Amino acid sequence: MAQEAQIAHGSGTKGGVPGGLGLFSLIGMVVSSCIGSGAFALTGQLGGVAAPGPALIAWLIVGVGFLCLALSLKNLAEVRPDLDGIFNYATQGFGPFAGFISGWGYWLSAWLGNVAFATIMMSAVGFFYEPFLPGNTVACIAIASVVMWGITILVIRGVESASFINAIVMVAKVAALALFVIFALVSFNAGVFTADFWGTLYDNAVAMGQMGANAVSLGSVSDQIVNCMMIMFWCFIGIEGASVVSSRAKSKAEAGQATVIGLIALLVIYIGVSVLPFGVLPFNEIAAMDYPAMTYVMDHMAPGWGGAFITIAMIVSVAGSWLSFTILPAETTQLMADHKLIPAKWGELNSKGAPQFSLIIVGLCTQIFMLTLIFTEDAYNFAYSMCTVAIVITWALASAYNMKVSFGAGKTGQGICGLIATVFLILGVILNGMSFLLLTCVGYIPGVFVYIAGRKEAGEKPFTGAEMGIMGVIVAAGIAALVMVATGIITF
C-alpha cells in the first residue's frame, strides 16, 4: 500500500491508479463528506431564519452556485489530469503562495469541521441523556476526544481502507435520510406549509409581542435568503472530496464525474430534509426545538422510535464525515509537501501509506480547539462558520483558475461557469460577515512560517514582491482579529 501511494502521488498520470478508488468510492467520498451534521441540523437552523418561500429561493441560488463550482472542478479534472489536489489549481493559476493559501485554508477548514462534528455528535447523544445537550461540556469534550483519536488511528492504519468504510457509511446515512423524507412526504400538509409562506405573519406576531421575549424578526425576504445561504454553504463542505483524493483514483475523469453526481444527490436530499418538515409542523415551532431538530420532528412523525432512529443515524453519519475530514486534510498536506509548499516531513508516509505526521498534527490542532469550546456559548455555529469561510477561499481559487483556463482556451461556457462560481463564493463570505474572515486569518499566521520553512527547504524564494504584500495583509488581518477578540469587539 505504501508503494501504491507513492506511485499515486509521484505520477500524476492521466489514467489514474490501477486498483485505486473507483467511481462509487469517489461518490461516497463526496456524499459522505458533505452529509454530516449539517443535513440533520438544517431543518431547525433554516426554521430559525426563514419561512418556506425564502428558503426555497435560497436553495435555488445555492444550487446554481454549487453546480457551477462542481462543473468547474469536473472540467479541471478533465483538462488538467496531471494536477493532484485542489490546492494545485491555485498554484498553477496564480503561483506557489496562492497554492499555499488554498491548501492551508482547506487544511484549516477540514479539522475545524471535525470540531463542529464533535459538538453536534454530543448534542445528539443528549436525546438519550439530557446533560449532553449543550454538546460542549467537559464530559462531552472528553468523549469526543476519544472518538477523534480513534478515527485518527484508523486512518493512520491505511487511507484506502478507511475510504472503503466511508463508502459503506454513505449508504447507511443516505438510507436514514431517505426514510425521513418518506415520512415527511406522507405527513406533509400543504395548509401548514403555505400558512405563512413568506414569514409575514411571524414577523407581525414578533412586532406585536405575541411570540415571546426571545423571538427575533425574520426580516425581509432578501434578509431571510441571505441568512439561509451560509447555513447551506456548510452543508456542501466536502463537495471537493473526489478532487482532493484524485491522485488515488482509478481514473481522473471519474473524480470529476463523482463531484457532479454527488452534488445532484446532495441537492435532492438537502431540499427534502430541510423544506418538507415545514409542511409537517410550522417552521417557528421547528426552530424552537433542541438541536438537531430533525430528531424531534421524526419523533413527532413516528412516536416511540423515530427520534431514537434518527439520533443513531446522525451519530453514524457524523462519524463518517469525521472520518472523511480526517483523511482530507492529511491528504492535502501530503500533496503540499510533495509540491514543496511545506516541509517534506508533512508528506512522509508510514508503512501503511498514510501521512502519519500530518494526521497527528491534525489531531493535536483539533484537540486544542475542542478545549476552547468549553467557553463558547454556541460552539457548533462558531465552529462551522469558521470552517465554511476557510474552505470558501479554497473553492474560489479553484473556480477562478477554471475561469482563467477556460477563457484562455476559448471555452466561454466553462469560463462563465467559473466566473459565476467565483462571484457566488466571494459574495457568500462577505454576506456571512467580516469577523469570521478575520478570525480565519489568525489560522494563517502559523501557516506562513510553515510555508517559509518549506520553500527554504526546497531552495526556493518564499515570496515575490506582490506575494509579500498579500502575506502582510493576511498577517495584519489576523493580528487585528486577535485585538478585536481581546477588546470584546469580536465575540463568540
Side-chain angles (χ1 to χ4, degrees):
M1 188 177 294
Q3 183 181 8
E4 178 182 301
Q6 289 166 355
I7 292 172
H9 289 284
S11 63
T13 58
K14 187 171 183 177
V17 182
L21 301 174
L23 181 62
F24 179 74
S25 291
L26 291 167
I27 294 172
M29 180 62 73
V30 173
V31 175
S32 193
S33 295
C34 291
I35 298 180
S37 59
F40 294 87
L42 263 176
T43 303
Q45 287 183 299
L46 293 187
V49 299
L56 285 171
I57 295 174
W59 273 123
L60 176 62
I61 295 170
V62 170
V64 170
F66 275 101
L67 178 60
C68 288
L69 175 62
L71 290 172
S72 293
L73 294 175
K74 180 178 183 294
N75 183 59
L76 290 173
E78 293 171 352
V79 301
R80 292 302 307 267
D82 56 309
L83 300 181
D84 294 330
I86 191 170
F87 74 91
N88 223 350
Y89 298 140
T91 303
Q92 293 298 313
F94 313 106
F97 187 57
F100 162 75
I101 290 173
S102 174
W104 196 260
Y106 188 82
W107 181 79
L108 285 172
S109 173
W111 65 260
L112 284 169
N114 289 343
V115 176
F117 296 148
T119 58
I120 200 69
M121 180 184 281
M122 295 302 102
S123 294
V125 175
F127 180 82
F128 301 108
Y129 184 59
E130 193 169 341
F132 273 61
L133 272 178
N136 62 334
T137 63
V138 173
C140 289
I141 298 302
I143 294 173
S145 297
V146 172
V147 174
M148 183 268 294
W149 285 112
I151 291 174
T152 300
I153 292 169
L154 173 65
V155 180
I156 285 174
R157 291 178 62 84
V159 173
E160 283 88 353
S161 61
S163 298
F164 175 72
I165 294 171
N166 205 30
I168 296 174
V169 172
M170 176 196 73
V171 175
K173 69 172 75 174
V174 170
L177 292 173
L179 183 64
F180 177 84
V181 169
I182 291 170
F183 269 80
L185 282 169
V186 172
S187 305
F188 188 83
N189 184 320
V192 173
F193 188 73
T194 59
D196 190 11
F197 195 68
W198 301 108
T200 307
L201 298 177
Y202 176 83
D203 277 351
N204 290 339
V206 171
M208 296 175 65
Q210 297 174 355
M211 296 300 295
N214 295 324
V216 178
S217 173
L218 298 176
S220 65
V221 170
S222 60
D223 288 337
Q224 294 178 57
I225 292 170
V226 168
N227 291 334
C228 285
M229 285 178 62
M230 193 50 67
I231 295 171
M232 294 173 178
F233 268 49
W234 160 242
C235 297
F236 289 99
I237 293 179
I239 194 68
E240 71 298 320
S243 296
V244 173
V245 297
S246 62
S247 63
R248 298 178 183 271
K250 289 180 182 177
S251 164
K252 294 293 183 69
E254 286 187 346
Q257 294 167 11
T259 302
V260 176
I261 295 170
L263 174 68
I264 294 170
L266 288 166
L267 282 171
V268 172
I269 293 167
Y270 287 158
I271 294 173
V273 300
S274 66
V275 177
L276 287 176
F278 295 159
V280 178
L281 293 167
F283 68 88
N284 57 297
E285 289 186 22
I286 292 174
M289 294 176 173
D290 289 323
Y291 274 4
M294 181 187 288
T295 297
Y296 301 93
V297 174
M298 188 66 179
D299 204 44
H300 171 81
M301 295 187 296
W305 65 271
F309 173 79
I310 289 296
T311 299
I312 294 170
M314 180 179 180
I315 292 171
V316 172
S317 173
V318 170
S321 286
W322 203 336
L323 175 61
S324 291
F325 274 60
T326 301
I327 295 171
L328 296 177
E331 187 84 7
T332 298
T333 51
Q334 181 186 352
L335 288 169
M336 289 174 71
D338 290 347
H339 290 277
K340 306 185 187 309
L341 297 180
I342 57 178
K345 181 71 175 177
W346 293 70
E348 290 181 359
L349 303 177
N350 63 14
S351 61
K352 298 291 186 179
Q356 184 169 320
F357 176 79
S358 292
L359 287 164
I360 291 172
I361 293 295
V362 167
L364 290 172
C365 290
T366 306
Q367 182 69 81
I368 292 169
F369 204 85
M370 274 187 192
L371 295 175
T372 68
L373 295 184
I374 297 172
F375 310 102
T376 305
E377 288 186 11
D378 193 342
Y380 178 68
N381 284 337
F382 176 71
Y384 90 68
S385 295
M386 288 284 291
C387 171
T388 302
V389 171
I391 202 167
V392 166
I393 296 169
T394 303
W395 288 339
L397 284 168
S399 60
Y401 179 56
N402 181 58
M403 178 174 59
K404 179 180 179 180
V405 168
S406 299
F407 281 134
K411 297 181 178 179
T412 305
Q414 279 293 342
I416 291 173
C417 254
L419 176 62
I420 292 172
T422 304
V423 172
F424 164 72
L425 293 167
I426 292 172
L427 286 177
V429 171
I430 294 172
L431 293 173
N432 188 50
M434 295 303 293
S435 60
F436 287 111
L437 180 59
L438 291 173
L439 287 169
T440 301
C441 289
V442 175
Y444 275 97
I445 294 176
V448 166
F449 293 101
V450 176
Y451 172 73
I452 292 172
R455 298 302 284 170
K456 287 185 175 179
E457 181 180 275
E460 302 285 348
K461 185 179 179 180
F463 304 103
T464 63
E467 289 173 342
M468 180 67 76
I470 295 171
M471 184 272 290
V473 170
I474 292 172
V475 172
I479 293 172
L482 292 173
V483 172
M484 291 180 186
V485 170
T487 57
I489 297 174
I490 294 179
T491 60
F492 304 152

